[in-house]
Amino acid sequence: MKKVTTKNKLLNKLVSELDGTNNTVPYSMKTVLNFKGRKSPDIAQKAISVLTDENSVIYDPFAGSASFLIAAVKAKRKIVTTEIDNYTYSATYSLLYNSDLKKLQSLFEIIKNTAKSEIMKLYATSCCGVKNYISKLFFDPENGEYFNPTPNRDIVNGENIRLISKCPICNKSRKKFKECDKELLDKIANLDTSLFPHDKYIENSRINITSSTGANYYDRIFTKRSQKTLLILQEAILNLPDSPERDILEHALVSSLSLARISMYGSSTDILYHVVPYGAQESNIWELFESKFNSFIDFKKEYADVLSKNPQKNDKYEMYLSSYQDFCKNKSLHEHFDLIYTDFPYTDQVPYLERNQLYRVWLNTFYKKGSYKLTPKMLQDEIVQTNAPERPIKQKISNYYSDLDKMFATFYQILKPTTLLVFTVKLGKSKYFTTLLEIINLARKNGFEYVMRLGIDKNDPTIRKQAAYKNTLSNEMIIAFEKLDKSNQYWYVGNKNYEFETTKIVYNLIQKSKDDITISTAVKAVKQKLFKELTYTATEHDLNKIQSIIKENFLVERDTAIVRIDCNKLYLDIEDHTDLFTKIYEYVPVIIRTLLEEKGRFTLDDLYFEIANALCNGDPETINQFLSSSSYSNDIAKLIANYCNTTDRVYTKKSYSELIPDNAIDISTLEGTAFELVIKRLLEAQGYTDVINTGGAGDLGVDLLAKKLDYTGKQKLYLFQCKRWASDVGSEPMQRLVAEKARRKADVAICVTTSDFTKDGKLISREQDIEMWNGEFVIRELNLYFPDQYYNGIL
């Protein structure tokens, strides 16, 4: 059972505020540094503004490119950030340093005057006999083919050189590779590039760093011309006097490395280490460097209000080179922060420390040597799952979850009471629910409760294909957790959620026992199981907690203290999966109604997430089995279409006939008990007496008892089983009703449903004398006695 939380109004306001906000990263932020996975500062700024006040202090433990730092400053909130990666920290520091732009431009002009001419000679060419320079060269590295490389759309009529400027004779911006270009490459092949790094990388096949291709060595993906050009440029920067402005120029050079390599035609800077055999491009590095420098200038102008002479510590923010683990050891941080807002650590399995080797090796070789080492402690503290052979511990998903466990425990200690922990999360679709459920489970273990999920895909979460849920789930989202007080936390013993275990133990006890189970017997059974499994002796506090959990999850008769299974609850991962899936399916209309009442609209992943959230106490495999079935997803698509219209690419409440009043109740979306009470009201209106709700006594198959006089004046006992179902009722519920009719010596048994009956269900009805009230009959009777108060959406 979900815990009581306090932030619902605040989070509803956040959803409203973010409605219509584009999930985009500004161009100046996107182009300045080659960081992966930047987040929209506009979304973060609105979220921080809504979730905090002007006196709040925010913490971002995984600072990265400082998107959230910028958002916090724009929201006029104080933020503290930490970053484990020395390269990332240094690059971000240079970005946020309030430099003298005139001095910066002056230093750039010095480099331009001393290095550009030498560099451009390496890219010299001619067209129509007129001198020009290469901007891009398309070629095949594997066989050294320059004259007739593999075709691509940028090679027009065999012209595989893109020029810096149009030829004044032919007015073309492209030309074919000629003998003069080959002669230049032959000369460059003899140049000394011995200073260029030849370091060996940590291998990771996921990001293409493999020994089989040679990509595990630094110089493998650079041409001889690129190597020489980068060395010339680096020497020019090192000849400048040491200053923060020189650091900025260095990071402009380092950022240029992403496209200075031999890159695949049309590739992005995300694909860093791929060894390209054919269809490659070589870029003019002076152009790259000048473009990066201008990006730094543009950023500093656009975010002038964020910059500081001391980015590490100022009145707006603090930024530390530290793992979150080391930083949070400071005892003064206990319950210090009003909000943690951060990017979730690497659920896409891209280890940033390994990815940034390209930049770190260069800096460690040429610039402030030793400051950019990749230390064993950094590798140990990084929260990541990687396939790197050199990092065997980090290959295990169990280790990744263990690191997340420690992270949540740490965050609990530094957050103020009842405050929020907010993540942006990007999940791979293949492990969408498995990862998400584990995140929620670990958060609950460490004193948090999940309180919100909001899809923020850049292409907008939609219902493009209603039946194909895998193509419509938002893999980028915001999820929020609220810190619970100690008395309201989930009960974990070790890594086991004993609220779930208690429910499971009691459920199985009731199912297997021929006798009624009292609450004292149930508590004793859980106590014994605890000791047997964990050698754990339950305290008096634990026993009270067990009793409380039983009352929350089962029906306990007031007079007898007998514990009954509540037919309105989903005992997920406990019941037989066939019954479980049926119950999930029947529960979907209730979820739809709730989503429409709370949000007014929803997307398909909203619905699936609510199903998944109900499963968070158990095995994620259940939801994976459920969602992998095309028949289930197709059925759910039909259900949604039954209740909803598709408006602006989201689901909204279907407009019914004008004959149905707006405040009429849809009986097909009621929870089980609410539907039973509607039928009880109907029976009393029909003249039944002594109508009793039996309290949902689980699988006994009877929900209502009633009496009525027949035409002879004899009083008869009636049994009613109420099925607020979306699917047709089959033989099994009917057979249970047959057994109860005999056990209770009843005169009449009636199965009531919002849907209809299967062929087998109707057969049992005829053979065993069980009456059937289908959805059409029920709504007809309700309209007769209670006009305009009810309707049946399933019809």
Side-chain angles (χ1 to χ4, degrees):
M1 182 174 180
K2 286 193 73 174
K3 300 299 182 179
V4 177
T5 53
T6 63
K7 301 296 182 182
N8 290 341
K9 288 184 179 179
L10 202 61
L11 293 167
N12 288 338
K13 182 181 178 183
L14 173 60
V15 173
S16 176
E17 286 288 321
L18 290 180
D19 187 28
T21 304
N22 290 326
N23 182 10
T24 55
V25 179
Y27 183 78
S28 60
M29 187 180 290
K30 197 185 314 184
T31 56
V32 67
L33 292 171
N34 300 315
F35 289 134
K36 186 176 174 63
R38 287 184 190 82
K39 298 300 181 286
S40 166
D42 290 342
I43 288 178
Q45 181 182 341
K46 287 185 178 181
I48 289 169
S49 296
V50 169
L51 300 177
T52 61
D53 59 41
E54 59 186 12
N55 298 315
S56 298
V57 181
I58 301 153
Y59 177 47
D60 178 1
F62 312 114
S65 59
S67 297
F68 298 153
L69 182 150
I70 292 168
V73 172
K74 294 287 187 181
K76 295 181 170 53
R77 304 290 192 267
K78 178 71 178 285
I79 186 168
V80 178
T81 72
T82 50
E83 173 54 51
I84 190 175
D85 181 17
N86 41 36
Y87 159 68
T88 301
Y89 177 84
S90 176
T92 303
Y93 187 100
S94 288
L95 200 62
L96 297 177
Y97 179 75
N98 190 10
S99 53
D100 181 336
L101 293 186
K102 288 184 178 179
K103 179 179 179 181
L104 189 56
Q105 189 68 50
S106 170
L107 293 179
F108 175 77
E109 292 300 323
I110 293 172
I111 295 172
K112 188 174 181 179
N113 292 332
T114 57
K116 182 179 179 182
S117 176
E118 187 180 359
I119 289 171
M120 294 305 284
K121 286 178 184 177
L122 301 176
Y123 294 96
T125 188
S126 64
C127 183
C128 300
V130 178
K131 189 173 183 179
N132 211 317
Y133 297 95
I134 296 170
S135 175
K136 272 190 172 59
L137 167 65
F138 301 97
F139 69 111
D140 293 336
E142 183 82 0
N143 55 10
E145 180 56 68
Y146 291 92
F147 291 97
N148 295 292
T150 303
N152 64 58
R153 66 169 180 254
D154 221 345
I155 300 176
V156 180
N157 299 322
E159 295 167 341
N160 59 321
I161 290 179
R162 189 187 295 174
L163 300 168
I164 286 278
S165 56
K166 281 187 177 181
C167 173
I169 306 299
C170 65
N171 203 35
K172 286 185 176 182
S173 58
R174 292 179 173 85
K175 60 159 276 188
K176 288 184 178 181
F177 187 87
K178 299 286 183 69
E179 279 297 333
C180 62
D181 301 306
K182 178 68 166 59
E183 288 172 8
L184 177 60
L185 287 183
D186 290 341
K187 288 180 181 178
I188 291 171
N190 295 318
L191 296 176
D192 180 16
T193 57
S194 58
L195 293 178
F196 198 85
H198 185 65
D199 296 55
K200 191 174 182 180
Y201 289 137
I202 292 174
E203 289 187 51
N204 184 329
S205 61
R206 182 174 170 82
I207 52 177
N208 300 310
I209 306 178
T210 54
S211 57
S212 60
T213 61
N216 59 326
Y217 283 98
Y218 194 92
D219 51 350
R220 176 66 174 87
I221 55 174
F222 292 92
T223 66
K224 187 80 168 182
R225 173 159 47 198
S226 296
Q227 293 180 25
K228 186 63 179 177
T229 305
L230 288 166
L231 289 171
I232 293 168
L233 199 48
Q234 180 63 76
E235 184 180 8
I237 292 173
L238 290 174
N239 285 334
L240 298 172
D242 191 2
S243 67
E245 284 75 18
R246 189 182 78 167
D247 294 344
I248 294 166
L249 289 165
E250 180 67 22
H251 280 292
L253 167 60
V254 171
S255 289
S256 304
L257 292 170
S258 300
L259 289 175
R261 73 198 193 285
I262 301 170
S263 56
M264 185 167 54
Y265 164 74
S267 72
S268 70
T269 54
D270 283 347
I271 310 169
L272 292 180
Y273 301 100
H274 184 207
V275 173
V276 186
Y278 302 98
Q281 66 181 27
E282 178 190 14
S283 298
N284 184 306
I285 288 171
W286 177 261
E287 276 194 311
L288 295 177
F289 174 67
E290 188 167 26
S291 174
K292 281 295 179 184
F293 171 76
N294 288 330
S295 294
F296 271 80
I297 296 293
D298 291 343
F299 178 92
K300 288 180 179 294
K301 288 178 179 178
E302 183 170 347
Y303 295 100
D305 56 334
V306 180
L307 307 183
S308 171
K309 286 293 183 184
N310 183 9
Q312 184 175 9
K313 191 170 185 179
N314 54 74
D315 58 349
K316 298 174 185 176
Y317 52 88
E318 297 174 23
M319 191 171 73
Y320 298 103
L321 175 58
S322 170
S323 67
Y324 88 89
Q325 298 97 319
D326 289 343
F327 179 77
C328 293
K329 287 176 183 177
N330 189 335
K331 292 182 180 179
S332 66
L333 294 177
H334 182 71
E335 296 194 340
H336 178 75
F337 294 107
D338 301 279
L339 172 72
I340 292 177
Y341 195 104
T342 194
D343 204 8
F344 202 82
Y346 317 146
T347 53
D348 57 357
Q349 292 192 329
V350 177
Y352 279 32
L353 293 180
E354 291 168 28
R355 182 182 181 275
N356 288 342
Q357 290 179 93
L358 178 70
Y359 314 117
R360 183 180 294 102
V361 167
W362 186 271
L363 286 164
N364 215 40
T365 302
F366 296 109
Y367 204 78
K368 299 181 181 178
K369 299 177 182 181
S371 298
Y372 299 95
K373 285 183 179 178
L374 187 51
T375 66
K377 188 174 190 320
M378 290 166 64
L379 293 168
Q380 174 61 38
D381 287 348
E382 184 183 26
I383 301 177
V384 70
Q385 187 185 6
T386 172
N387 68 359
E390 294 176 50
R391 304 177 72 184
I393 294 177
K394 295 294 182 178
Q395 293 177 22
K396 300 173 183 176
I397 189 68
S398 58
N399 183 81
Y400 174 67
Y401 288 148
S402 175
D403 284 347
L404 293 183
D405 190 7
K406 295 170 187 173
M407 178 192 76
F408 279 114
T410 302
F411 290 169
Y412 187 90
Q413 296 300 320
I414 62 173
L415 270 173
K416 290 180 181 177
T418 68
T419 49
L420 292 170
L421 167 57
V422 180
F423 295 106
T424 58
V425 179
K426 191 164 185 176
L427 296 170
K429 283 185 169 59
S430 63
K431 295 184 178 179
Y432 183 93
F433 283 107
T434 306
T435 304
L436 192 54
L437 297 186
E438 191 61 40
I439 290 170
I440 294 174
N441 182 51
L442 291 170
R444 286 174 168 171
K445 176 188 174 185
N446 288 286
F448 293 94
E449 178 58 289
Y450 152 77
V451 287
M452 188 197 74
R453 182 209 60 86
L454 179 64
I456 54 168
D457 274 356
K458 287 182 173 60
N459 60 350
D460 186 29
T462 65
I463 6 262
R464 292 180 297 279
K465 295 180 181 178
Q466 295 180 8
Y469 81 93
K470 289 180 181 176
N471 294 327
T472 60
L473 292 173
S474 298
N475 69 342
E476 189 170 352
M477 66 183 73
I478 294 173
I479 56 173
F481 300 91
E482 182 177 331
K483 178 178 175 178
L484 301 170
D485 60 58
K486 295 287 185 183
S487 62
N488 194 30
Q489 291 181 16
Y490 283 87
W491 183 35
Y492 276 76
V493 180
N495 287 322
K496 273 196 174 182
N497 180 344
Y498 255 84
E499 296 198 15
F500 171 72
E501 290 299 315
T502 295
T503 306
K504 186 174 182 178
I505 292 164
V506 174
Y507 183 95
N508 289 330
L509 186 66
I510 295 171
Q511 287 286 74
K512 293 176 182 177
S513 178
K514 295 179 180 179
D515 302 320
D516 289 335
I517 301 298
T518 64
I519 192 165
S520 60
T521 304
V523 170
K524 185 178 179 181
V526 176
K527 178 184 175 183
Q528 290 174 341
K529 188 83 170 180
L530 267 171
F531 185 79
K532 183 177 180 181
E533 285 190 352
L534 303 171
T535 322
Y536 178 87
T537 303
T539 64
E540 191 66 30
H541 176 75
D542 293 335
L543 296 177
N544 291 333
K545 189 182 285 288
I546 293 168
Q547 190 171 107
S548 176
I549 293 166
I550 293 171
K551 288 178 179 178
E552 285 177 354
N553 291 282
F554 297 90
L555 298 167
V556 181
E557 294 181 0
R558 184 175 297 177
D559 297 332
T560 63
I562 293 172
V563 183
R564 305 281 190 194
I565 292 170
D566 186 344
C567 62
N568 295 308
K569 288 192 181 296
L570 292 176
Y571 295 97
L572 301 177
D573 285 325
I574 296 174
E575 298 176 292
D576 173 79
H577 277 187
T578 304
D579 293 337
L580 170 63
F581 291 154
T582 301
K583 287 188 76 172
I584 294 175
Y585 178 58
E586 303 310 334
Y587 197 61
V588 167
V590 178
I591 298 176
I592 290 173
R593 174 176 57 81
T594 303
L595 286 169
L596 289 174
E597 286 177 353
E598 291 180 352
K599 298 183 176 184
R601 63 181 188 171
F602 66 92
T603 60
L604 194 60
D605 60 333
D606 288 329
L607 177 63
Y608 276 98
F609 188 86
E610 290 306 318
I611 296 171
N613 185 48
L615 288 163
C616 281
N617 288 337
D619 183 358
E621 186 59 29
T622 302
I623 194 70
N624 288 333
Q625 288 179 35
F626 179 66
L627 296 178
S628 64
S629 166
S630 59
S631 63
Y632 283 125
S633 55
N634 287 334
D635 286 344
I636 286 180
K638 291 174 186 175
L639 269 181
I640 298 172
N642 198 61
Y643 293 103
C644 303
N645 293 320
T646 305
T647 307
D648 295 328
R649 303 172 80 188
V650 296
Y651 290 124
T652 56
K653 187 175 181 180
K654 179 171 280 189
S655 300
Y656 289 96
S657 165
E658 292 180 2
L659 298 175
I660 300 175
D662 289 340
N663 59 351
I665 296 170
D666 184 354
I667 62 171
S668 72
T669 64
L670 295 174
E671 291 188 352
T673 301
F675 179 58
E676 292 166 14
L677 293 176
V678 169
I679 300 304
K680 181 176 184 289
R681 186 186 184 204
L682 174 61
L683 295 178
E684 289 170 340
Q686 289 175 329
Y688 290 85
T689 60
D690 299 330
V691 183
I692 300 171
N693 188 309
T694 59
D699 293 333
L700 297 179
V702 175
D703 300 307
L704 298 168
L705 300 175
K707 295 176 182 177
K708 195 176 185 182
L709 298 176
D710 66 9
Y711 69 96
T712 66
K714 179 183 176 184
Q715 184 168 262
K716 290 186 175 180
L717 175 63
Y718 287 74
L719 308 184
F720 293 87
Q721 184 181 50
C722 301
K723 294 294 183 186
R724 198 286 302 138
W725 277 20
S727 56
D728 293 342
V729 177
S731 60
E732 187 177 343
M734 303 290 279
Q735 288 169 339
R736 292 178 183 175
L737 195 51
V738 170
E740 275 303 294
K741 180 183 176 184
R743 189 176 78 85
R744 293 177 184 260
K745 297 182 174 57
D747 299 290
V748 182
I750 302 173
C751 187
V752 184
T753 183
T754 48
S755 55
D756 206 343
F757 297 87
T758 66
K759 183 179 178 181
D760 289 341
K762 291 175 182 177
L763 181 64
I764 297 294
S765 170
R766 289 194 300 271
E767 291 180 348
Q768 301 295 334
D769 192 25
I770 302 296
E771 291 188 25
M772 299 180 294
W773 291 7
N774 67 11
E776 290 185 1
F777 176 82
V778 170
I779 201 64
R780 198 161 55 238
E781 289 295 299
L782 285 169
N783 284 333
L784 178 64
Y785 290 97
F786 313 107
D788 298 331
Q789 293 186 34
Y790 300 98
Y791 70 99
N792 189 345
I794 203 73
L795 302 178

